[in-house]
Amino acid sequence: MTDPTTDNAGQNGDAGAARASLEALRTEIAKAVVGQDPAVTGLVVALLCRGHVLLEGVPGVAKTLLVRSLASALDIDTKRVQFTPDLMPSDVTGSLVYDTRTAEFSFQPGPVFTNLLLADEINRTPPKTQSSLLEAMEERQVTVDGTPRPLPEPFLVAATQNPVEYEGTYPLPEAQLDRFLLKLTVPLPSRQEEIDVLTRHASGFDSRDLRAAGVRPVAGPADLEAARAAVARTTVSPEITAYVVDLCRATRESPSLTLGVSPRGATALLATSRAWAWLTGRDYVIPDDVKALALPTLRHRVQLRAEAEMEGVTADSVINAILAHVPVPR
């Protein structure tokens, strides 16, 4: 009979090594990307939760470089799709191609068959093509000609969109927004960070050659699996569960919102809070974990009233107000 204490020691050892490897990702990505620590942490949390990420920021703030650096440091495959108005669903998922040599149709996989898919400017393509990602994101498979084809594991979609340019764009519908675990804002760098960026480029940094920048694999899929198993063992007290529910129910009662957070959003907040608790070295969730992940997990799951938006109210300000008023468990 196996000694449970030995099993626990082994699990803790694997979890500790996995945590150290994932923490090393920040240092490795920093060799290519200046700043943006919250976005890096958000991507790691999404990987731990098997979720997807919407990155919002103006062009030129290193969103693409961030995703490529993460894939390189995690030693996983990545592909990039530039979403345009003429992009077809088959350009993403793949299609059947007739082979003249065998006189048969064969499936040619699309770029979605990867570990980390960068969907660049996802709001520039029509809803039909946007929806081609829904099955991939939710079911982790692609069905072509009635045949389901599983996607690789791990699988994460990191989609980007420009928050200030609306001409020629197709805003994501609420159903698809809700499929993203996190919405991360990628801000402009501070003055010193921008000086650091220019200094690197003056010294010969080439964003297309991450190897030359010194980015090396410091973690892998095995570390990710061990980390996910450890996150699943992170305990959540009934008080914390009730706190998450109270926060989400408060959004449904806010006079500034026409749409509050659904039960799926509450489940997402609980999952991201557990992942953050584990990343910070605990095997249990505290209210501060929930508060830390509330904005990125909930901001895209609420909808402002038109009059509130005209008054300058934002989703973040509404969620912050709710965080300030909902009683915190002790």
Side-chain angles (χ1 to χ4, degrees), residues 68 205-214:
R68 288 180 54 239
F205 172 75
D206 184 355
S207 61
R208 292 164 294 188
D209 189 355
L210 294 178
R211 287 285 178 181

Side-chain angles (χ1 to χ4, degrees), residues 95-108:
S95 59
L96 294 175
V97 177
Y98 183 72
D99 190 335
T100 55
R101 293 173 298 177
T102 61
E104 294 179 349
F105 284 94
S106 61
F107 178 68
Q108 296 296 316

Side-chain angles (χ1 to χ4, degrees), residues 27-262:
T27 304
E28 207 62 23
I29 292 171
K31 295 178 181 178
V33 181
V34 177
Q36 309 301 0
D37 278 349
V40 173
T41 302
L43 285 165
V44 173
V45 167
L47 281 166
L48 290 174
C49 298
R50 291 183 169 87
H52 308 285
V53 174
L54 184 62
L55 296 167
E56 187 173 85
V58 298
V61 290
K63 297 188 294 294
T64 302
L65 180 60
L66 176 62
V67 172
R68 288 180 54 239
S69 301
L70 174 64
S72 183
L74 199 52
D75 198 22
I76 56 177
D77 184 51
T78 183
K79 290 186 175 70
R80 175 179 177 270
V81 178
Q82 180 65 51
F83 279 69
T84 57
D86 60 347
L87 194 74
M88 300 296 292
S90 59
D91 295 329
V92 178
T93 61
S95 59
L96 294 175
V97 177
Y98 183 72
D99 190 335
T100 55
R101 293 173 298 177
T102 61
E104 294 179 349
F105 284 94
S106 61
F107 178 68
Q108 296 296 316
V112 75
F113 285 86
T114 187
N115 298 123
L116 185 50
L117 177 69
L118 176 60
D120 222 348
E121 295 189 290
I122 191 173
N123 57 337
R124 286 211 165 277
T125 200
K128 183 178 181 180
T129 305
Q130 289 176 2
S131 65
S132 68
L133 280 176
L134 278 176
E135 182 188 14
M137 293 169 67
E138 191 68 19
E139 305 296 335
R140 298 179 185 276
Q141 67 178 26
V142 168
T143 302
V144 176
D145 197 32
T147 303
R149 294 174 169 84
L151 294 171
E153 181 62 38
F155 174 70
L156 180 144
V157 174
T160 72
Q161 66 177 13
N162 183 344
V164 295
E165 193 173 354
Y166 298 106
E167 187 175 347
T169 63
Y170 303 83
L172 293 173
E174 297 303 324
Q176 185 150 3
L177 277 173
D178 202 39
R179 294 305 195 280
F180 286 99
L181 181 73
L182 299 172
K183 180 181 178 182
L184 304 173
T185 56
V186 186
L188 288 165
S190 66
R191 180 176 181 274
Q192 186 55 53
E193 287 172 343
E194 197 163 358
I195 290 173
D196 292 343
V197 170
L198 268 61
T199 301
R200 289 188 182 190
H201 281 271
S203 301
F205 172 75
D206 184 355
S207 61
R208 292 164 294 188
D209 189 355
L210 294 178
R211 287 285 178 181
V215 179
R216 298 287 185 271
V218 293
D223 296 305
L224 200 53
E225 277 307 308
R228 286 171 172 175
V231 170
R233 295 192 297 269
T234 302
T235 58
V236 183
S237 69
E239 292 80 11
I240 292 294
T241 303
Y243 181 52
V244 169
V245 169
D246 289 343
L247 288 174
C248 294
R249 292 181 68 85
T251 65
R252 302 170 206 161
E253 299 164 3
S254 171
S256 299
L257 302 176
T258 59
L259 180 69
V261 177
S262 69

